[in-house]
Amino acid sequence: MTTLHITVGDREPLREDALQFVRTAGTDSIDDQDGKAILQFGTYDDLVDNLTPLRLELIQAIAEHAPESMREAARLVDRDVSDVHSDLKQLETLGILEFEEGGPGGAMQPVVPFDRIEMHIDYPLVTDVDGDETPISA
């Protein structure tokens, strides 16, 4: 099963992971964890702006039904083709889906290369008195 891990929160750990990946890439000692598919959003608002309920519904419809074209994907979710096209391009930019050639008449086929999406949202509600952003309850 292929899982896309979506995280929301501090981008610094992701930056450090990327730097470590670059440092170890030449040594052939890359851990399996580095191969995980991770999509990082800096804020909850970024997540909500990019993964709207309509886009999540579209992702699920494509994963379940494997439409052969953007037009067929639009029919699956009963939406206008131009709106779906815009959403598909945004999801491609995010790396959530990709396009393959070979649909009917040379149509680009949207493909979701994941079976599952897991989300982790770091959303501290209260900061401690030292200014640390760790929730007090932690």
Side-chain angles (χ1 to χ4, degrees):
M1 179 178 287
T2 307
T3 302
L4 172 62
H5 300 271
I6 297 178
T7 62
V8 177
D10 186 8
R11 291 179 191 240
E12 187 59 28
L14 182 65
R15 189 179 84 73
E16 289 300 319
D17 289 348
L19 288 173
Q20 183 61 33
F21 177 81
V22 169
R23 285 192 282 266
T24 61
T27 65
D28 292 329
S29 62
I30 299 170
D31 187 4
D32 287 342
Q33 289 282 339
D34 290 336
K36 262 194 331 191
I38 299 173
L39 177 59
Q40 171 80 28
F41 291 101
T43 66
Y44 179 74
D45 288 340
D46 291 340
L47 170 73
V48 171
D49 288 345
N50 284 283
L51 290 181
T52 64
L54 288 176
R55 287 182 180 159
L56 288 170
E57 177 187 21
L58 181 59
I59 294 165
Q60 187 172 20
I62 292 168
E64 286 181 3
H65 302 286
E68 294 184 343
S69 66
M70 290 186 203
R71 186 172 305 282
E72 188 179 334
R75 277 193 291 265
L76 286 171
V77 293
D78 194 29
R79 293 181 49 210
D80 183 76
V81 174
S82 64
D83 292 338
V84 168
H85 178 268
S86 176
D87 283 349
L88 290 173
K89 288 305 205 177
Q90 178 63 23
L91 293 170
E92 178 188 33
T93 299
L94 292 170
I96 296 175
L97 64 80
E98 50 201 36
F99 290 101
E100 294 179 355
E101 294 183 36
M108 298 299 288
Q109 181 178 10
V111 176
V112 177
F114 308 104
D115 301 319
R116 166 179 208 79
I117 294 176
E118 290 184 7
M119 294 188 197
H120 172 77
I121 301 173
D122 183 12
Y123 198 90
L125 298 176
V126 179
T127 57
D128 71 16
V129 291
D130 295 332
D132 183 4
E133 292 192 22
T134 303
I136 291 174
S137 61

